[in-house]
Amino acid sequence: MRVASQVGPGPETRTPLSRERVLRAAVKIADEGGIGSLTMRRLADDLGSEAMSLYYHVAKKDDVLDGMVEILATEINEVVDRLAAPAAGAGWKKAVRERILSARGVLLRHPWAPGVLESRTSVNPAVLRYFDGLLGMLRAGGFSYDQAHHAMHALGSRALGFTQELFTPAGPTPPGNIAAGNTAAPGPAAVPDEQLAGQFPHLAAMLMEIAHDNPDATLGWCDDQTEFEFGLDLILDGLDRLRGQA
Amino acid sequence: MRVASQVGPGPETRTPLSRERVLRAAVKIADEGGIGSLTMRRLADDLGSEAMSLYYHVAKKDDVLDGMVEILATEINEVVDRLAAPAAGAGWKKAVRERILSARGVLLRHPWAPGVLESRTSVNPAVLRYFDGLLGMLRAGGFSYDQAHHAMHALGSRALGFTQELFTPAGPTPPGNIAAGNTAAPGPAAVPDEQLAGQFPHLAAMLMEIAHDNPDATLGWCDDQTEFEFGLDLILDGLDRLRGQA
DNA sequence: ACCTGAACACCGTTCAAGT
DNA sequence: ACCTGAACACCGTTCAAGT
């Protein structure tokens, strides 16, 4: 025995593969290197086996991606289940807000999540459970099913904590940006400064003003968290005004 | 001369390749078969040449995708430029709504657009022009640059006419659904009915009520256009209340 | 029951060579 | 200037075979 018991098993006692181990390894690879770095061969490599061995535990790569979503959604459910039980009635907004921002907290640790979630063709039960809980909160808040249905569509992917940004006007994007810093699911592109001035007068003027004014004017210029919460609150406030009215 | 002059040139007078022709062919392939069917070999095939010939006109496949976005955004700009000039002040909302729904109309004809737009790492000038125009409308409507900036983040991809739906509760999705009917960019998955009843009480109850009540209760249950407009109006109304206030 | 080597069909892309 | 054949490095996946 060459290694302390605290250290994992050495190569001589290789842990056998299992669906669970395969999926966890896949999440680790995607977390660290982006979804683009996740290949069956790389996955097998990290597990100390051959690519073909994986197929005994998963049906195909799509199955791996489904499993990753399951791990993600389970993690989200664990977090939101721990939150204080929502007050009925007017308390719905605070509760829903807290639920969504908590889900977002989990997503921020898994930059591959938006892209992979969007690519799935079947809904994972764990994801369904999240939405069922959200729907329950809306109902407790006084929404009709019809209203709640509209509400969930209006939230869209924001209900799970992310949004689609198509480009970032300028300036650095904070490290927390879900979309950025990830080769496989590249984030919003930045606008090249040179072109701006002449061709796009409004965008240029906006950037100039921000730069000229107090740099803290927006306090979180293109800060994803700030913008996410702004949009979320805009929607939640709008929904709140709909409550009660037929 | 065997064919009428109205018919295109026969194989004996093959039109030479050009960047323009390559990009148009790429759009056609993706429109008809989904982005997944767009490969360099298939693209060359449709143009009657070899895959390697394409590389004389485009740098790499990414360049093809960039070009497709350019074609798309140009088409959108042509449509929105034709709209009536927006009235300043209170008219901003109607004008922005019309602009966005017009952009959506173009997107509906190109199901690959959302996925490809999201995958770009640099912003196409034509896309920038669209956003610059949108920003101009917000300014004319009385928004400060800071407010307009928040507004554009709040709209997110909705500004260009699409949203991220993660799943469809039930029922058929209309053909207009951008995300659906497209192998490469699969749309929201539907919930299997069997599981619903027991495991997800709120979702099940919602579906039951819709089914039991007047089937036209929602008039457009999971109709993408209806839901898109609901969410858009919710945001625009919320933004309208922000105007003027610091 | 679990794992693997060889092989297949498919990618995007390079490079030297053709006209 | 424009196009191409052969080839390379990479995919996901199948299948027959090993223990």
Side-chain angles (χ1 to χ4, degrees), chain B residues 100-114:
Chain B
I100 291 177
L101 291 180
S102 297
R104 177 174 170 84
V106 175
L107 284 187
L108 287 172
R109 298 199 293 272
H110 303 293
W112 48 269

mmCIF file with all atom_site columns, all heavy atoms in Angstrom, chain B residues 100-114:
data_model
loop_
_atom_site.group_PDB
_atom_site.id
_atom_site.type_symbol
_atom_site.label_atom_id
_atom_site.label_alt_id
_atom_site.label_comp_id
_atom_site.label_asym_id
_atom_site.label_entity_id
_atom_site.label_seq_id
_atom_site.pdbx_PDB_ins_code
_atom_site.Cartn_x
_atom_site.Cartn_y
_atom_site.Cartn_z
_atom_site.occupancy
_atom_site.B_iso_or_equiv
_atom_site.pdbx_formal_charge
_atom_site.auth_seq_id
_atom_site.auth_comp_id
_atom_site.auth_asym_id
_atom_site.auth_atom_id
_atom_site.pdbx_PDB_model_num
ATOM 1   N N   . ILE B 1 100 ? -40.285 44.930 -33.862 1.00 0.00 ? 100 ILE B N   1
ATOM 2   C CA  . ILE B 1 100 ? -39.906 43.610 -33.352 1.00 0.00 ? 100 ILE B CA  1
ATOM 3   C C   . ILE B 1 100 ? -40.744 42.502 -33.988 1.00 0.00 ? 100 ILE B C   1
ATOM 4   O O   . ILE B 1 100 ? -40.222 41.443 -34.365 1.00 0.00 ? 100 ILE B O   1
ATOM 5   C CB  . ILE B 1 100 ? -40.010 43.576 -31.807 1.00 0.00 ? 100 ILE B CB  1
ATOM 6   C CG1 . ILE B 1 100 ? -38.913 44.464 -31.201 1.00 0.00 ? 100 ILE B CG1 1
ATOM 7   C CG2 . ILE B 1 100 ? -39.928 42.156 -31.278 1.00 0.00 ? 100 ILE B CG2 1
ATOM 8   C CD1 . ILE B 1 100 ? -38.945 44.583 -29.695 1.00 0.00 ? 100 ILE B CD1 1
ATOM 9   N N   . LEU B 1 101 ? -42.032 42.742 -34.130 1.00 0.00 ? 101 LEU B N   1
ATOM 10  C CA  . LEU B 1 101 ? -42.877 41.714 -34.741 1.00 0.00 ? 101 LEU B CA  1
ATOM 11  C C   . LEU B 1 101 ? -42.540 41.526 -36.219 1.00 0.00 ? 101 LEU B C   1
ATOM 12  O O   . LEU B 1 101 ? -42.679 40.429 -36.765 1.00 0.00 ? 101 LEU B O   1
ATOM 13  C CB  . LEU B 1 101 ? -44.355 42.052 -34.544 1.00 0.00 ? 101 LEU B CB  1
ATOM 14  C CG  . LEU B 1 101 ? -44.844 41.932 -33.082 1.00 0.00 ? 101 LEU B CG  1
ATOM 15  C CD1 . LEU B 1 101 ? -46.326 42.297 -32.965 1.00 0.00 ? 101 LEU B CD1 1
ATOM 16  C CD2 . LEU B 1 101 ? -44.600 40.530 -32.524 1.00 0.00 ? 101 LEU B CD2 1
ATOM 17  N N   . SER B 1 102 ? -42.074 42.594 -36.853 1.00 0.00 ? 102 SER B N   1
ATOM 18  C CA  . SER B 1 102 ? -41.648 42.459 -38.246 1.00 0.00 ? 102 SER B CA  1
ATOM 19  C C   . SER B 1 102 ? -40.377 41.631 -38.347 1.00 0.00 ? 102 SER B C   1
ATOM 20  O O   . SER B 1 102 ? -40.236 40.778 -39.235 1.00 0.00 ? 102 SER B O   1
ATOM 21  C CB  . SER B 1 102 ? -41.408 43.846 -38.865 1.00 0.00 ? 102 SER B CB  1
ATOM 22  O OG  . SER B 1 102 ? -42.610 44.580 -38.892 1.00 0.00 ? 102 SER B OG  1
ATOM 23  N N   . ALA B 1 103 ? -39.452 41.872 -37.448 1.00 0.00 ? 103 ALA B N   1
ATOM 24  C CA  . ALA B 1 103 ? -38.224 41.073 -37.411 1.00 0.00 ? 103 ALA B CA  1
ATOM 25  C C   . ALA B 1 103 ? -38.579 39.608 -37.177 1.00 0.00 ? 103 ALA B C   1
ATOM 26  O O   . ALA B 1 103 ? -38.024 38.699 -37.808 1.00 0.00 ? 103 ALA B O   1
ATOM 27  C CB  . ALA B 1 103 ? -37.295 41.584 -36.305 1.00 0.00 ? 103 ALA B CB  1
ATOM 28  N N   . ARG B 1 104 ? -39.517 39.399 -36.279 1.00 0.00 ? 104 ARG B N   1
ATOM 29  C CA  . ARG B 1 104 ? -39.963 38.029 -36.001 1.00 0.00 ? 104 ARG B CA  1
ATOM 30  C C   . ARG B 1 104 ? -40.516 37.364 -37.254 1.00 0.00 ? 104 ARG B C   1
ATOM 31  O O   . ARG B 1 104 ? -40.305 36.170 -37.478 1.00 0.00 ? 104 ARG B O   1
ATOM 32  C CB  . ARG B 1 104 ? -41.011 38.036 -34.900 1.00 0.00 ? 104 ARG B CB  1
ATOM 33  C CG  . ARG B 1 104 ? -41.592 36.670 -34.584 1.00 0.00 ? 104 ARG B CG  1
ATOM 34  C CD  . ARG B 1 104 ? -42.523 36.731 -33.382 1.00 0.00 ? 104 ARG B CD  1
ATOM 35  N NE  . ARG B 1 104 ? -43.247 35.478 -33.220 1.00 0.00 ? 104 ARG B NE  1
ATOM 36  C CZ  . ARG B 1 104 ? -42.757 34.429 -32.599 1.00 0.00 ? 104 ARG B CZ  1
ATOM 37  N NH1 . ARG B 1 104 ? -41.535 34.481 -32.113 1.00 0.00 ? 104 ARG B NH1 1
ATOM 38  N NH2 . ARG B 1 104 ? -43.451 33.327 -32.485 1.00 0.00 ? 104 ARG B NH2 1
ATOM 39  N N   . GLY B 1 105 ? -41.224 38.133 -38.037 1.00 0.00 ? 105 GLY B N   1
ATOM 40  C CA  . GLY B 1 105 ? -41.772 37.586 -39.274 1.00 0.00 ? 105 GLY B CA  1
ATOM 41  C C   . GLY B 1 105 ? -40.682 37.020 -40.171 1.00 0.00 ? 105 GLY B C   1
ATOM 42  O O   . GLY B 1 105 ? -40.856 35.977 -40.804 1.00 0.00 ? 105 GLY B O   1
ATOM 43  N N   . VAL B 1 106 ? -39.561 37.694 -40.224 1.00 0.00 ? 106 VAL B N   1
ATOM 44  C CA  . VAL B 1 106 ? -38.439 37.202 -41.030 1.00 0.00 ? 106 VAL B CA  1
ATOM 45  C C   . VAL B 1 106 ? -37.844 35.950 -40.389 1.00 0.00 ? 106 VAL B C   1
ATOM 46  O O   . VAL B 1 106 ? -37.572 34.950 -41.068 1.00 0.00 ? 106 VAL B O   1
ATOM 47  C CB  . VAL B 1 106 ? -37.355 38.293 -41.182 1.00 0.00 ? 106 VAL B CB  1
ATOM 48  C CG1 . VAL B 1 106 ? -36.150 37.735 -41.922 1.00 0.00 ? 106 VAL B CG1 1
ATOM 49  C CG2 . VAL B 1 106 ? -37.916 39.504 -41.907 1.00 0.00 ? 106 VAL B CG2 1
ATOM 50  N N   . LEU B 1 107 ? -37.673 35.985 -39.084 1.00 0.00 ? 107 LEU B N   1
ATOM 51  C CA  . LEU B 1 107 ? -37.093 34.836 -38.375 1.00 0.00 ? 107 LEU B CA  1
ATOM 52  C C   . LEU B 1 107 ? -37.921 33.567 -38.585 1.00 0.00 ? 107 LEU B C   1
ATOM 53  O O   . LEU B 1 107 ? -37.383 32.465 -38.670 1.00 0.00 ? 107 LEU B O   1
ATOM 54  C CB  . LEU B 1 107 ? -37.002 35.116 -36.880 1.00 0.00 ? 107 LEU B CB  1
ATOM 55  C CG  . LEU B 1 107 ? -35.881 36.037 -36.407 1.00 0.00 ? 107 LEU B CG  1
ATOM 56  C CD1 . LEU B 1 107 ? -35.833 36.055 -34.892 1.00 0.00 ? 107 LEU B CD1 1
ATOM 57  C CD2 . LEU B 1 107 ? -34.542 35.608 -36.960 1.00 0.00 ? 107 LEU B CD2 1
ATOM 58  N N   . LEU B 1 108 ? -39.228 33.743 -38.650 1.00 0.00 ? 108 LEU B N   1
ATOM 59  C CA  . LEU B 1 108 ? -40.108 32.579 -38.805 1.00 0.00 ? 108 LEU B CA  1
ATOM 60  C C   . LEU B 1 108 ? -39.821 31.841 -40.106 1.00 0.00 ? 108 LEU B C   1
ATOM 61  O O   . LEU B 1 108 ? -40.109 30.654 -40.234 1.00 0.00 ? 108 LEU B O   1
ATOM 62  C CB  . LEU B 1 108 ? -41.577 33.017 -38.765 1.00 0.00 ? 108 LEU B CB  1
ATOM 63  C CG  . LEU B 1 108 ? -42.106 33.413 -37.390 1.00 0.00 ? 108 LEU B CG  1
ATOM 64  C CD1 . LEU B 1 108 ? -43.502 34.022 -37.502 1.00 0.00 ? 108 LEU B CD1 1
ATOM 65  C CD2 . LEU B 1 108 ? -42.142 32.216 -36.455 1.00 0.00 ? 108 LEU B CD2 1
ATOM 66  N N   . ARG B 1 109 ? -39.262 32.536 -41.054 1.00 0.00 ? 109 ARG B N   1
ATOM 67  C CA  . ARG B 1 109 ? -38.934 31.887 -42.325 1.00 0.00 ? 109 ARG B CA  1
ATOM 68  C C   . ARG B 1 109 ? -37.548 31.245 -42.285 1.00 0.00 ? 109 ARG B C   1
ATOM 69  O O   . ARG B 1 109 ? -37.150 30.569 -43.232 1.00 0.00 ? 109 ARG B O   1
ATOM 70  C CB  . ARG B 1 109 ? -38.984 32.916 -43.458 1.00 0.00 ? 109 ARG B CB  1
ATOM 71  C CG  . ARG B 1 109 ? -40.360 33.534 -43.665 1.00 0.00 ? 109 ARG B CG  1
ATOM 72  C CD  . ARG B 1 109 ? -40.479 34.179 -45.046 1.00 0.00 ? 109 ARG B CD  1
ATOM 73  N NE  . ARG B 1 109 ? -39.630 35.351 -45.202 1.00 0.00 ? 109 ARG B NE  1
ATOM 74  C CZ  . ARG B 1 109 ? -39.980 36.595 -44.878 1.00 0.00 ? 109 ARG B CZ  1
ATOM 75  N NH1 . ARG B 1 109 ? -41.174 36.823 -44.347 1.00 0.00 ? 109 ARG B NH1 1
ATOM 76  N NH2 . ARG B 1 109 ? -39.173 37.604 -45.082 1.00 0.00 ? 109 ARG B NH2 1
ATOM 77  N N   . HIS B 1 110 ? -36.803 31.461 -41.219 1.00 0.00 ? 110 HIS B N   1
ATOM 78  C CA  . HIS B 1 110 ? -35.444 30.914 -41.117 1.00 0.00 ? 110 HIS B CA  1
ATOM 79  C C   . HIS B 1 110 ? -35.243 30.260 -39.746 1.00 0.00 ? 110 HIS B C   1
ATOM 80  O O   . HIS B 1 110 ? -34.622 30.852 -38.857 1.00 0.00 ? 110 HIS B O   1
ATOM 81  C CB  . HIS B 1 110 ? -34.415 32.023 -41.330 1.00 0.00 ? 110 HIS B CB  1
ATOM 82  C CG  . HIS B 1 110 ? -34.557 32.754 -42.628 1.00 0.00 ? 110 HIS B CG  1
ATOM 83  N ND1 . HIS B 1 110 ? -34.316 32.149 -43.845 1.00 0.00 ? 110 HIS B ND1 1
ATOM 84  C CD2 . HIS B 1 110 ? -34.926 34.024 -42.903 1.00 0.00 ? 110 HIS B CD2 1
ATOM 85  C CE1 . HIS B 1 110 ? -34.514 33.041 -44.811 1.00 0.00 ? 110 HIS B CE1 1
ATOM 86  N NE2 . HIS B 1 110 ? -34.893 34.172 -44.275 1.00 0.00 ? 110 HIS B NE2 1
ATOM 87  N N   . PRO B 1 111 ? -35.726 29.043 -39.605 1.00 0.00 ? 111 PRO B N   1
ATOM 88  C CA  . PRO B 1 111 ? -35.719 28.394 -38.291 1.00 0.00 ? 111 PRO B CA  1
ATOM 89  C C   . PRO B 1 111 ? -34.327 28.219 -37.684 1.00 0.00 ? 111 PRO B C   1
ATOM 90  O O   . PRO B 1 111 ? -34.197 28.036 -36.488 1.00 0.00 ? 111 PRO B O   1
ATOM 91  C CB  . PRO B 1 111 ? -36.334 27.012 -38.583 1.00 0.00 ? 111 PRO B CB  1
ATOM 92  C CG  . PRO B 1 111 ? -37.034 27.153 -39.888 1.00 0.00 ? 111 PRO B CG  1
ATOM 93  C CD  . PRO B 1 111 ? -36.303 28.191 -40.651 1.00 0.00 ? 111 PRO B CD  1
ATOM 94  N N   . TRP B 1 112 ? -33.308 28.270 -38.501 1.00 0.00 ? 112 TRP B N   1
ATOM 95  C CA  . TRP B 1 112 ? -31.943 28.116 -38.013 1.00 0.00 ? 112 TRP B CA  1
ATOM 96  C C   . TRP B 1 112 ? -31.432 29.389 -37.347 1.00 0.00 ? 112 TRP B C   1
ATOM 97  O O   . TRP B 1 112 ? -30.403 29.381 -36.659 1.00 0.00 ? 112 TRP B O   1
ATOM 98  C CB  . TRP B 1 112 ? -31.015 27.785 -39.191 1.00 0.00 ? 112 TRP B CB  1
ATOM 99  C CG  . TRP B 1 112 ? -31.222 28.690 -40.372 1.00 0.00 ? 112 TRP B CG  1
ATOM 100 C CD1 . TRP B 1 112 ? -32.071 28.490 -41.427 1.00 0.00 ? 112 TRP B CD1 1
ATOM 101 C CD2 . TRP B 1 112 ? -30.608 29.967 -40.592 1.00 0.00 ? 112 TRP B CD2 1
ATOM 102 N NE1 . TRP B 1 112 ? -32.010 29.561 -42.293 1.00 0.00 ? 112 TRP B NE1 1
ATOM 103 C CE2 . TRP B 1 112 ? -31.122 30.482 -41.813 1.00 0.00 ? 112 TRP B CE2 1
ATOM 104 C CE3 . TRP B 1 112 ? -29.666 30.728 -39.885 1.00 0.00 ? 112 TRP B CE3 1
ATOM 105 C CZ2 . TRP B 1 112 ? -30.732 31.721 -42.328 1.00 0.00 ? 112 TRP B CZ2 1
ATOM 106 C CZ3 . TRP B 1 112 ? -29.288 31.959 -40.399 1.00 0.00 ? 112 TRP B CZ3 1
ATOM 107 C CH2 . TRP B 1 112 ? -29.813 32.442 -41.610 1.00 0.00 ? 112 TRP B CH2 1
ATOM 108 N N   . ALA B 1 113 ? -32.138 30.489 -37.561 1.00 0.00 ? 113 ALA B N   1
ATOM 109 C CA  . ALA B 1 113 ? -31.606 31.788 -37.157 1.00 0.00 ? 113 ALA B CA  1
ATOM 110 C C   . ALA B 1 113 ? -31.277 31.904 -35.660 1.00 0.00 ? 113 ALA B C   1
ATOM 111 O O   . ALA B 1 113 ? -30.165 32.303 -35.314 1.00 0.00 ? 113 ALA B O   1
ATOM 112 C CB  . ALA B 1 113 ? -32.554 32.901 -37.591 1.00 0.00 ? 113 ALA B CB  1
ATOM 113 N N   . PRO B 1 114 ? -32.207 31.548 -34.762 1.00 0.00 ? 114 PRO B N   1
ATOM 114 C CA  . PRO B 1 114 ? -31.873 31.700 -33.346 1.00 0.00 ? 114 PRO B CA  1
ATOM 115 C C   . PRO B 1 114 ? -30.587 30.975 -32.958 1.00 0.00 ? 114 PRO B C   1
ATOM 116 O O   . PRO B 1 114 ? -29.695 31.574 -32.357 1.00 0.00 ? 114 PRO B O   1
ATOM 117 C CB  . PRO B 1 114 ? -33.098 31.092 -32.645 1.00 0.00 ? 114 PRO B CB  1
ATOM 118 C CG  . PRO B 1 114 ? -34.220 31.320 -33.605 1.00 0.00 ? 114 PRO B CG  1
ATOM 119 C CD  . PRO B 1 114 ? -33.616 31.156 -34.967 1.00 0.00 ? 114 PRO B CD  1
#
